Amino acid sequence: MKAFIALEFEKLLANFKTMAADPGLSDNIVGAVELCVESLRAGGKVMFAGNGGSAADAQHWAGELVSRFYYDRPGLAAIALTTDSSILTAIGNDYGYDYTFARQVEALGRTGDVLVAISTSGNSPNIIRAAEAARARGVAVVGFTGEGGGKLAPLSDICFRVPSTETPRIQEGHEFIGHLLCALVEAEMHPREAN
């Protein structure tokens, strides 16, 4: 077990070292923050969607914006499309699981909003349909994928491709970038007052 733990730490550190060395990553983070801030300042919202662990990330990041991240400030308009069991089961029953997020984007998305679409493979059918629905409505798409990007990458205005093919490593990278996104959106929307 200790050997496995040590190997997992090595893989985590190697992945983050690769991410830190990518000069485009910081540019993409700044770009994603700017998309979200522009939307929020115009009265728009940030929608989050993902499956499984990525659904947990969607809920986590929406919670960071609506509640708080580093400090107290007014809430920010964000929603996880993964949380309403009645909506999810109705859409799944009436249209099929592939439409669980697209239908919500059709109902809630407005031009100028942002969809944060999370799929470690970049190929989750319900995420792809949501991204397509977003683009059709003038909703910006920020994709979170693994190294290949999958079908989600070309549908994204900005795509974070964590440089790994292992789901746990991809999710760890997503969590770090998601936290940066939340922290920077919070700081841009409501700068912390100097003490």
Side-chain angles (χ1 to χ4, degrees), residues 51-87:
N51 297 291
S54 299
D57 285 338
Q59 292 165 216
H60 177 174
W61 302 340
E64 303 287 21
L65 294 181
V66 171
S67 182
R68 69 188 298 275
F69 191 70
Y70 274 120
Y71 50 87
D72 293 331
R73 39 77 182 164
L76 299 169
I79 183 170
L81 304 181
T82 56
T83 57
D84 191 318
S85 59
S86 294
I87 288 174

PDB file of all heavy atoms in Angstrom, residues 51-87:
ATOM      1  N   ASN A  51     -20.759  14.726 -15.149  1.00  0.00           N
ATOM      2  CA  ASN A  51     -21.272  13.432 -14.699  1.00  0.00           C
ATOM      3  C   ASN A  51     -20.369  12.857 -13.605  1.00  0.00           C
ATOM      4  O   ASN A  51     -19.148  13.038 -13.660  1.00  0.00           O
ATOM      5  CB  ASN A  51     -21.301  12.441 -15.866  1.00  0.00           C
ATOM      6  CG  ASN A  51     -22.238  12.866 -16.968  1.00  0.00           C
ATOM      7  OD1 ASN A  51     -23.443  12.856 -16.799  1.00  0.00           O
ATOM      8  ND2 ASN A  51     -21.684  13.259 -18.111  1.00  0.00           N
ATOM      9  N   GLY A  52     -20.953  12.147 -12.669  1.00  0.00           N
ATOM     10  CA  GLY A  52     -20.159  11.457 -11.650  1.00  0.00           C
ATOM     11  C   GLY A  52     -19.314  12.417 -10.837  1.00  0.00           C
ATOM     12  O   GLY A  52     -19.817  13.384 -10.260  1.00  0.00           O
ATOM     13  N   GLY A  53     -17.994  12.184 -10.797  1.00  0.00           N
ATOM     14  CA  GLY A  53     -17.096  13.085 -10.081  1.00  0.00           C
ATOM     15  C   GLY A  53     -17.150  14.490 -10.645  1.00  0.00           C
ATOM     16  O   GLY A  53     -17.012  15.479  -9.910  1.00  0.00           O
ATOM     17  N   SER A  54     -17.367  14.600 -11.934  1.00  0.00           N
ATOM     18  CA  SER A  54     -17.480  15.921 -12.562  1.00  0.00           C
ATOM     19  C   SER A  54     -18.774  16.620 -12.167  1.00  0.00           C
ATOM     20  O   SER A  54     -18.843  17.853 -12.129  1.00  0.00           O
ATOM     21  CB  SER A  54     -17.383  15.791 -14.088  1.00  0.00           C
ATOM     22  OG  SER A  54     -16.130  15.244 -14.464  1.00  0.00           O
ATOM     23  N   ALA A  55     -19.818  15.843 -11.842  1.00  0.00           N
ATOM     24  CA  ALA A  55     -21.049  16.438 -11.304  1.00  0.00           C
ATOM     25  C   ALA A  55     -20.756  17.032  -9.931  1.00  0.00           C
ATOM     26  O   ALA A  55     -21.258  18.115  -9.591  1.00  0.00           O
ATOM     27  CB  ALA A  55     -22.151  15.388 -11.209  1.00  0.00           C
ATOM     28  N   ALA A  56     -19.941  16.328  -9.148  1.00  0.00           N
ATOM     29  CA  ALA A  56     -19.554  16.851  -7.836  1.00  0.00           C
ATOM     30  C   ALA A  56     -18.773  18.151  -7.999  1.00  0.00           C
ATOM     31  O   ALA A  56     -18.977  19.107  -7.244  1.00  0.00           O
ATOM     32  CB  ALA A  56     -18.732  15.813  -7.081  1.00  0.00           C
ATOM     33  N   ASP A  57     -17.887  18.214  -8.998  1.00  0.00           N
ATOM     34  CA  ASP A  57     -17.154  19.455  -9.266  1.00  0.00           C
ATOM     35  C   ASP A  57     -18.117  20.570  -9.667  1.00  0.00           C
ATOM     36  O   ASP A  57     -17.980  21.712  -9.229  1.00  0.00           O
ATOM     37  CB  ASP A  57     -16.115  19.249 -10.375  1.00  0.00           C
ATOM     38  CG  ASP A  57     -14.895  18.469  -9.910  1.00  0.00           C
ATOM     39  OD1 ASP A  57     -14.628  18.438  -8.698  1.00  0.00           O
ATOM     40  OD2 ASP A  57     -14.208  17.893 -10.779  1.00  0.00           O
ATOM     41  N   ALA A  58     -19.092  20.248 -10.511  1.00  0.00           N
ATOM     42  CA  ALA A  58     -20.071  21.255 -10.943  1.00  0.00           C
ATOM     43  C   ALA A  58     -20.784  21.858  -9.732  1.00  0.00           C
ATOM     44  O   ALA A  58     -20.924  23.084  -9.619  1.00  0.00           O
ATOM     45  CB  ALA A  58     -21.082  20.623 -11.906  1.00  0.00           C
ATOM     46  N   GLN A  59     -21.229  21.005  -8.828  1.00  0.00           N
ATOM     47  CA  GLN A  59     -21.930  21.472  -7.640  1.00  0.00           C
ATOM     48  C   GLN A  59     -20.994  22.244  -6.718  1.00  0.00           C
ATOM     49  O   GLN A  59     -21.373  23.270  -6.146  1.00  0.00           O
ATOM     50  CB  GLN A  59     -22.553  20.285  -6.909  1.00  0.00           C
ATOM     51  CG  GLN A  59     -23.678  19.659  -7.705  1.00  0.00           C
ATOM     52  CD  GLN A  59     -24.103  18.288  -7.209  1.00  0.00           C
ATOM     53  OE1 GLN A  59     -24.450  17.439  -8.006  1.00  0.00           O
ATOM     54  NE2 GLN A  59     -24.082  18.077  -5.911  1.00  0.00           N
ATOM     55  N   HIS A  60     -19.784  21.752  -6.578  1.00  0.00           N
ATOM     56  CA  HIS A  60     -18.782  22.384  -5.720  1.00  0.00           C
ATOM     57  C   HIS A  60     -18.495  23.808  -6.197  1.00  0.00           C
ATOM     58  O   HIS A  60     -18.564  24.772  -5.419  1.00  0.00           O
ATOM     59  CB  HIS A  60     -17.522  21.517  -5.761  1.00  0.00           C
ATOM     60  CG  HIS A  60     -16.360  22.038  -4.999  1.00  0.00           C
ATOM     61  ND1 HIS A  60     -15.197  21.322  -4.848  1.00  0.00           N
ATOM     62  CD2 HIS A  60     -16.135  23.218  -4.375  1.00  0.00           C
ATOM     63  CE1 HIS A  60     -14.333  22.026  -4.145  1.00  0.00           C
ATOM     64  NE2 HIS A  60     -14.873  23.181  -3.850  1.00  0.00           N
ATOM     65  N   TRP A  61     -18.203  23.964  -7.493  1.00  0.00           N
ATOM     66  CA  TRP A  61     -17.816  25.282  -8.010  1.00  0.00           C
ATOM     67  C   TRP A  61     -19.002  26.243  -8.024  1.00  0.00           C
ATOM     68  O   TRP A  61     -18.826  27.432  -7.742  1.00  0.00           O
ATOM     69  CB  TRP A  61     -17.188  25.156  -9.384  1.00  0.00           C
ATOM     70  CG  TRP A  61     -15.976  24.271  -9.394  1.00  0.00           C
ATOM     71  CD1 TRP A  61     -15.206  23.906  -8.328  1.00  0.00           C
ATOM     72  CD2 TRP A  61     -15.408  23.615 -10.524  1.00  0.00           C
ATOM     73  NE1 TRP A  61     -14.197  23.063  -8.728  1.00  0.00           N
ATOM     74  CE2 TRP A  61     -14.292  22.866 -10.067  1.00  0.00           C
ATOM     75  CE3 TRP A  61     -15.729  23.577 -11.880  1.00  0.00           C
ATOM     76  CZ2 TRP A  61     -13.500  22.113 -10.927  1.00  0.00           C
ATOM     77  CZ3 TRP A  61     -14.938  22.818 -12.735  1.00  0.00           C
ATOM     78  CH2 TRP A  61     -13.834  22.092 -12.263  1.00  0.00           C
ATOM     79  N   ALA A  62     -20.191  25.758  -8.331  1.00  0.00           N
ATOM     80  CA  ALA A  62     -21.367  26.627  -8.259  1.00  0.00           C
ATOM     81  C   ALA A  62     -21.555  27.112  -6.822  1.00  0.00           C
ATOM     82  O   ALA A  62     -21.864  28.288  -6.582  1.00  0.00           O
ATOM     83  CB  ALA A  62     -22.611  25.886  -8.745  1.00  0.00           C
ATOM     84  N   GLY A  63     -21.356  26.215  -5.877  1.00  0.00           N
ATOM     85  CA  GLY A  63     -21.472  26.588  -4.467  1.00  0.00           C
ATOM     86  C   GLY A  63     -20.453  27.633  -4.053  1.00  0.00           C
ATOM     87  O   GLY A  63     -20.766  28.545  -3.265  1.00  0.00           O
ATOM     88  N   GLU A  64     -19.233  27.530  -4.573  1.00  0.00           N
ATOM     89  CA  GLU A  64     -18.192  28.510  -4.249  1.00  0.00           C
ATOM     90  C   GLU A  64     -18.580  29.898  -4.729  1.00  0.00           C
ATOM     91  O   GLU A  64     -18.274  30.903  -4.084  1.00  0.00           O
ATOM     92  CB  GLU A  64     -16.850  28.118  -4.882  1.00  0.00           C
ATOM     93  CG  GLU A  64     -16.315  26.756  -4.507  1.00  0.00           C
ATOM     94  CD  GLU A  64     -15.775  26.644  -3.101  1.00  0.00           C
ATOM     95  OE1 GLU A  64     -16.121  27.468  -2.229  1.00  0.00           O
ATOM     96  OE2 GLU A  64     -15.000  25.706  -2.844  1.00  0.00           O
ATOM     97  N   LEU A  65     -19.260  29.979  -5.883  1.00  0.00           N
ATOM     98  CA  LEU A  65     -19.650  31.285  -6.418  1.00  0.00           C
ATOM     99  C   LEU A  65     -20.897  31.828  -5.730  1.00  0.00           C
ATOM    100  O   LEU A  65     -20.958  33.006  -5.377  1.00  0.00           O
ATOM    101  CB  LEU A  65     -19.862  31.196  -7.929  1.00  0.00           C
ATOM    102  CG  LEU A  65     -18.617  30.888  -8.763  1.00  0.00           C
ATOM    103  CD1 LEU A  65     -18.967  30.853 -10.245  1.00  0.00           C
ATOM    104  CD2 LEU A  65     -17.504  31.897  -8.505  1.00  0.00           C
ATOM    105  N   VAL A  66     -21.896  30.984  -5.534  1.00  0.00           N
ATOM    106  CA  VAL A  66     -23.136  31.449  -4.911  1.00  0.00           C
ATOM    107  C   VAL A  66     -22.901  31.823  -3.446  1.00  0.00           C
ATOM    108  O   VAL A  66     -23.401  32.838  -2.959  1.00  0.00           O
ATOM    109  CB  VAL A  66     -24.247  30.385  -5.020  1.00  0.00           C
ATOM    110  CG1 VAL A  66     -25.464  30.766  -4.176  1.00  0.00           C
ATOM    111  CG2 VAL A  66     -24.654  30.188  -6.483  1.00  0.00           C
ATOM    112  N   SER A  67     -22.121  31.027  -2.732  1.00  0.00           N
ATOM    113  CA  SER A  67     -21.880  31.282  -1.308  1.00  0.00           C
ATOM    114  C   SER A  67     -20.660  32.194  -1.120  1.00  0.00           C
ATOM    115  O   SER A  67     -20.784  33.409  -1.053  1.00  0.00           O
ATOM    116  CB  SER A  67     -21.713  29.972  -0.553  1.00  0.00           C
ATOM    117  OG  SER A  67     -21.517  30.213   0.825  1.00  0.00           O
ATOM    118  N   ARG A  68     -19.484  31.606  -1.069  1.00  0.00           N
ATOM    119  CA  ARG A  68     -18.238  32.369  -0.907  1.00  0.00           C
ATOM    120  C   ARG A  68     -17.080  31.443  -1.210  1.00  0.00           C
ATOM    121  O   ARG A  68     -17.218  30.221  -1.146  1.00  0.00           O
ATOM    122  CB  ARG A  68     -18.114  32.925   0.514  1.00  0.00           C
ATOM    123  CG  ARG A  68     -17.893  31.841   1.561  1.00  0.00           C
ATOM    124  CD  ARG A  68     -17.967  32.327   2.993  1.00  0.00           C
ATOM    125  NE  ARG A  68     -16.981  33.304   3.347  1.00  0.00           N
ATOM    126  CZ  ARG A  68     -15.743  33.026   3.759  1.00  0.00           C
ATOM    127  NH1 ARG A  68     -15.339  31.768   3.863  1.00  0.00           N
ATOM    128  NH2 ARG A  68     -14.918  33.987   4.095  1.00  0.00           N
ATOM    129  N   PHE A  69     -15.929  32.028  -1.518  1.00  0.00           N
ATOM    130  CA  PHE A  69     -14.719  31.229  -1.679  1.00  0.00           C
ATOM    131  C   PHE A  69     -13.740  31.624  -0.578  1.00  0.00           C
ATOM    132  O   PHE A  69     -13.684  30.991   0.452  1.00  0.00           O
ATOM    133  CB  PHE A  69     -14.122  31.400  -3.084  1.00  0.00           C
ATOM    134  CG  PHE A  69     -13.036  30.401  -3.381  1.00  0.00           C
ATOM    135  CD1 PHE A  69     -13.340  29.068  -3.565  1.00  0.00           C
ATOM    136  CD2 PHE A  69     -11.714  30.792  -3.445  1.00  0.00           C
ATOM    137  CE1 PHE A  69     -12.339  28.123  -3.813  1.00  0.00           C
ATOM    138  CE2 PHE A  69     -10.707  29.863  -3.697  1.00  0.00           C
ATOM    139  CZ  PHE A  69     -11.016  28.531  -3.885  1.00  0.00           C
ATOM    140  N   TYR A  70     -12.999  32.713  -0.780  1.00  0.00           N
ATOM    141  CA  TYR A  70     -12.045  33.133   0.244  1.00  0.00           C
ATOM    142  C   TYR A  70     -12.639  34.051   1.303  1.00  0.00           C
ATOM    143  O   TYR A  70     -12.146  34.108   2.417  1.00  0.00           O
ATOM    144  CB  TYR A  70     -10.846  33.840  -0.398  1.00  0.00           C
ATOM    145  CG  TYR A  70      -9.750  32.904  -0.843  1.00  0.00           C
ATOM    146  CD1 TYR A  70      -9.358  32.846  -2.169  1.00  0.00           C
ATOM    147  CD2 TYR A  70      -9.089  32.077   0.065  1.00  0.00           C
ATOM    148  CE1 TYR A  70      -8.350  31.995  -2.584  1.00  0.00           C
ATOM    149  CE2 TYR A  70      -8.087  31.219  -0.332  1.00  0.00           C
ATOM    150  CZ  TYR A  70      -7.715  31.183  -1.666  1.00  0.00           C
ATOM    151  OH  TYR A  70      -6.712  30.339  -2.071  1.00  0.00           O
ATOM    152  N   TYR A  71     -13.678  34.803   0.953  1.00  0.00           N
ATOM    153  CA  TYR A  71     -14.173  35.805   1.891  1.00  0.00           C
ATOM    154  C   TYR A  71     -15.641  36.125   1.624  1.00  0.00           C
ATOM    155  O   TYR A  71     -16.180  35.784   0.578  1.00  0.00           O
ATOM    156  CB  TYR A  71     -13.320  37.079   1.812  1.00  0.00           C
ATOM    157  CG  TYR A  71     -13.111  37.612   0.414  1.00  0.00           C
ATOM    158  CD1 TYR A  71     -14.023  38.479  -0.186  1.00  0.00           C
ATOM    159  CD2 TYR A  71     -11.987  37.243  -0.322  1.00  0.00           C
ATOM    160  CE1 TYR A  71     -13.832  38.962  -1.469  1.00  0.00           C
ATOM    161  CE2 TYR A  71     -11.783  37.730  -1.610  1.00  0.00           C
ATOM    162  CZ  TYR A  71     -12.702  38.590  -2.173  1.00  0.00           C
ATOM    163  OH  TYR A  71     -12.515  39.069  -3.451  1.00  0.00           O
ATOM    164  N   ASP A  72     -16.256  36.794   2.587  1.00  0.00           N
ATOM    165  CA  ASP A  72     -17.663  37.170   2.473  1.00  0.00           C
ATOM    166  C   ASP A  72     -17.824  38.275   1.436  1.00  0.00           C
ATOM    167  O   ASP A  72     -17.044  39.230   1.407  1.00  0.00           O
ATOM    168  CB  ASP A  72     -18.199  37.664   3.823  1.00  0.00           C
ATOM    169  CG  ASP A  72     -18.267  36.563   4.857  1.00  0.00           C
ATOM    170  OD1 ASP A  72     -18.438  35.389   4.463  1.00  0.00           O
ATOM    171  OD2 ASP A  72     -18.149  36.868   6.056  1.00  0.00           O
ATOM    172  N   ARG A  73     -18.850  38.128   0.602  1.00  0.00           N
ATOM    173  CA  ARG A  73     -19.199  39.124  -0.415  1.00  0.00           C
ATOM    174  C   ARG A  73     -20.562  38.742  -0.955  1.00  0.00           C
ATOM    175  O   ARG A  73     -21.095  37.675  -0.651  1.00  0.00           O
ATOM    176  CB  ARG A  73     -18.137  39.209  -1.525  1.00  0.00           C
ATOM    177  CG  ARG A  73     -17.524  37.881  -1.982  1.00  0.00           C
ATOM    178  CD  ARG A  73     -18.417  37.090  -2.869  1.00  0.00           C
ATOM    179  NE  ARG A  73     -17.835  35.811  -3.254  1.00  0.00           N
ATOM    180  CZ  ARG A  73     -18.546  34.832  -3.767  1.00  0.00           C
ATOM    181  NH1 ARG A  73     -19.847  34.946  -3.904  1.00  0.00           N
ATOM    182  NH2 ARG A  73     -17.975  33.701  -4.110  1.00  0.00           N
ATOM    183  N   PRO A  74     -21.190  39.588  -1.787  1.00  0.00           N
ATOM    184  CA  PRO A  74     -22.494  39.216  -2.350  1.00  0.00           C
ATOM    185  C   PRO A  74     -22.396  37.937  -3.186  1.00  0.00           C
ATOM    186  O   PRO A  74     -21.356  37.651  -3.792  1.00  0.00           O
ATOM    187  CB  PRO A  74     -22.851  40.426  -3.224  1.00  0.00           C
ATOM    188  CG  PRO A  74     -22.093  41.562  -2.618  1.00  0.00           C
ATOM    189  CD  PRO A  74     -20.802  40.960  -2.134  1.00  0.00           C
ATOM    190  N   GLY A  75     -23.475  37.180  -3.214  1.00  0.00           N
ATOM    191  CA  GLY A  75     -23.502  35.951  -4.000  1.00  0.00           C
ATOM    192  C   GLY A  75     -23.414  36.230  -5.491  1.00  0.00           C
ATOM    193  O   GLY A  75     -23.814  37.295  -5.968  1.00  0.00           O
ATOM    194  N   LEU A  76     -22.884  35.265  -6.218  1.00  0.00           N
ATOM    195  CA  LEU A  76     -22.729  35.369  -7.670  1.00  0.00           C
ATOM    196  C   LEU A  76     -23.656  34.356  -8.346  1.00  0.00           C
ATOM    197  O   LEU A  76     -23.841  33.241  -7.843  1.00  0.00           O
ATOM    198  CB  LEU A  76     -21.271  35.123  -8.062  1.00  0.00           C
ATOM    199  CG  LEU A  76     -20.276  36.127  -7.456  1.00  0.00           C
ATOM    200  CD1 LEU A  76     -18.841  35.669  -7.676  1.00  0.00           C
ATOM    201  CD2 LEU A  76     -20.501  37.521  -8.043  1.00  0.00           C
ATOM    202  N   ALA A  77     -24.227  34.734  -9.486  1.00  0.00           N
ATOM    203  CA  ALA A  77     -25.236  33.913 -10.160  1.00  0.00           C
ATOM    204  C   ALA A  77     -24.599  32.695 -10.823  1.00  0.00           C
ATOM    205  O   ALA A  77     -23.972  32.794 -11.881  1.00  0.00           O
ATOM    206  CB  ALA A  77     -25.983  34.750 -11.199  1.00  0.00           C
ATOM    207  N   ALA A  78     -24.752  31.561 -10.186  1.00  0.00           N
ATOM    208  CA  ALA A  78     -24.210  30.307 -10.704  1.00  0.00           C
ATOM    209  C   ALA A  78     -25.176  29.184 -10.369  1.00  0.00           C
ATOM    210  O   ALA A  78     -25.865  29.229  -9.354  1.00  0.00           O
ATOM    211  CB  ALA A  78     -22.840  30.019 -10.099  1.00  0.00           C
ATOM    212  N   ILE A  79     -25.222  28.178 -11.238  1.00  0.00           N
ATOM    213  CA  ILE A  79     -26.129  27.048 -11.011  1.00  0.00           C
ATOM    214  C   ILE A  79     -25.492  25.768 -11.542  1.00  0.00           C
ATOM    215  O   ILE A  79     -24.904  25.759 -12.625  1.00  0.00           O
ATOM    216  CB  ILE A  79     -27.495  27.301 -11.682  1.00  0.00           C
ATOM    217  CG1 ILE A  79     -28.473  26.155 -11.376  1.00  0.00           C
ATOM    218  CG2 ILE A  79     -27.355  27.522 -13.178  1.00  0.00           C
ATOM    219  CD1 ILE A  79     -29.902  26.448 -11.802  1.00  0.00           C
ATOM    220  N   ALA A  80     -25.598  24.706 -10.763  1.00  0.00           N
ATOM    221  CA  ALA A  80     -25.173  23.385 -11.217  1.00  0.00           C
ATOM    222  C   ALA A  80     -26.387  22.697 -11.837  1.00  0.00           C
ATOM    223  O   ALA A  80     -27.431  22.582 -11.197  1.00  0.00           O
ATOM    224  CB  ALA A  80     -24.630  22.566 -10.048  1.00  0.00           C
ATOM    225  N   LEU A  81     -26.245  22.251 -13.070  1.00  0.00           N
ATOM    226  CA  LEU A  81     -27.358  21.599 -13.777  1.00  0.00           C
ATOM    227  C   LEU A  81     -27.479  20.120 -13.393  1.00  0.00           C
ATOM    228  O   LEU A  81     -28.206  19.371 -14.027  1.00  0.00           O
ATOM    229  CB  LEU A  81     -27.158  21.732 -15.286  1.00  0.00           C
ATOM    230  CG  LEU A  81     -26.993  23.159 -15.815  1.00  0.00           C
ATOM    231  CD1 LEU A  81     -26.814  23.138 -17.338  1.00  0.00           C
ATOM    232  CD2 LEU A  81     -28.169  24.036 -15.413  1.00  0.00           C
ATOM    233  N   THR A  82     -26.807  19.739 -12.323  1.00  0.00           N
ATOM    234  CA  THR A  82     -26.728  18.343 -11.898  1.00  0.00           C
ATOM    235  C   THR A  82     -27.571  18.043 -10.668  1.00  0.00           C
ATOM    236  O   THR A  82     -27.567  16.908 -10.192  1.00  0.00           O
ATOM    237  CB  THR A  82     -25.264  18.017 -11.547  1.00  0.00           C
ATOM    238  OG1 THR A  82     -24.831  18.956 -10.555  1.00  0.00           O
ATOM    239  CG2 THR A  82     -24.362  18.122 -12.750  1.00  0.00           C
ATOM    240  N   THR A  83     -28.304  19.031 -10.150  1.00  0.00           N
ATOM    241  CA  THR A  83     -28.814  18.899  -8.786  1.00  0.00           C
ATOM    242  C   THR A  83     -30.307  18.658  -8.637  1.00  0.00           C
ATOM    243  O   THR A  83     -30.741  18.220  -7.578  1.00  0.00           O
ATOM    244  CB  THR A  83     -28.463  20.158  -7.981  1.00  0.00           C
ATOM    245  OG1 THR A  83     -29.013  21.292  -8.648  1.00  0.00           O
ATOM    246  CG2 THR A  83     -26.967  20.321  -7.862  1.00  0.00           C
ATOM    247  N   ASP A  84     -31.110  18.965  -9.639  1.00  0.00           N
ATOM    248  CA  ASP A  84     -32.560  18.849  -9.482  1.00  0.00           C
ATOM    249  C   ASP A  84     -33.016  17.475  -9.973  1.00  0.00           C
ATOM    250  O   ASP A  84     -33.138  17.241 -11.168  1.00  0.00           O
ATOM    251  CB  ASP A  84     -33.259  19.969 -10.260  1.00  0.00           C
ATOM    252  CG  ASP A  84     -34.737  20.067  -9.927  1.00  0.00           C
ATOM    253  OD1 ASP A  84     -35.399  19.008  -9.823  1.00  0.00           O
ATOM    254  OD2 ASP A  84     -35.227  21.201  -9.785  1.00  0.00           O
ATOM    255  N   SER A  85     -33.289  16.577  -9.036  1.00  0.00           N
ATOM    256  CA  SER A  85     -33.615  15.196  -9.407  1.00  0.00           C
ATOM    257  C   SER A  85     -34.901  15.107 -10.228  1.00  0.00           C
ATOM    258  O   SER A  85     -35.017  14.248 -11.108  1.00  0.00           O
ATOM    259  CB  SER A  85     -33.719  14.309  -8.163  1.00  0.00           C
ATOM    260  OG  SER A  85     -34.710  14.798  -7.280  1.00  0.00           O
ATOM    261  N   SER A  86     -35.862  15.972  -9.960  1.00  0.00           N
ATOM    262  CA  SER A  86     -37.104  15.934 -10.739  1.00  0.00           C
ATOM    263  C   SER A  86     -36.863  16.337 -12.189  1.00  0.00           C
ATOM    264  O   SER A  86     -37.378  15.703 -13.120  1.00  0.00           O
ATOM    265  CB  SER A  86     -38.156  16.855 -10.111  1.00  0.00           C
ATOM    266  OG  SER A  86     -38.537  16.369  -8.848  1.00  0.00           O
ATOM    267  N   ILE A  87     -36.075  17.391 -12.394  1.00  0.00           N
ATOM    268  CA  ILE A  87     -35.752  17.813 -13.757  1.00  0.00           C
ATOM    269  C   ILE A  87     -34.928  16.743 -14.464  1.00  0.00           C
ATOM    270  O   ILE A  87     -35.211  16.366 -15.600  1.00  0.00           O
ATOM    271  CB  ILE A  87     -35.012  19.167 -13.753  1.00  0.00           C
ATOM    272  CG1 ILE A  87     -35.986  20.291 -13.385  1.00  0.00           C
ATOM    273  CG2 ILE A  87     -34.352  19.449 -15.101  1.00  0.00           C
ATOM    274  CD1 ILE A  87     -35.342  21.658 -13.211  1.00  0.00           C
TER     275      ILE A  87
END
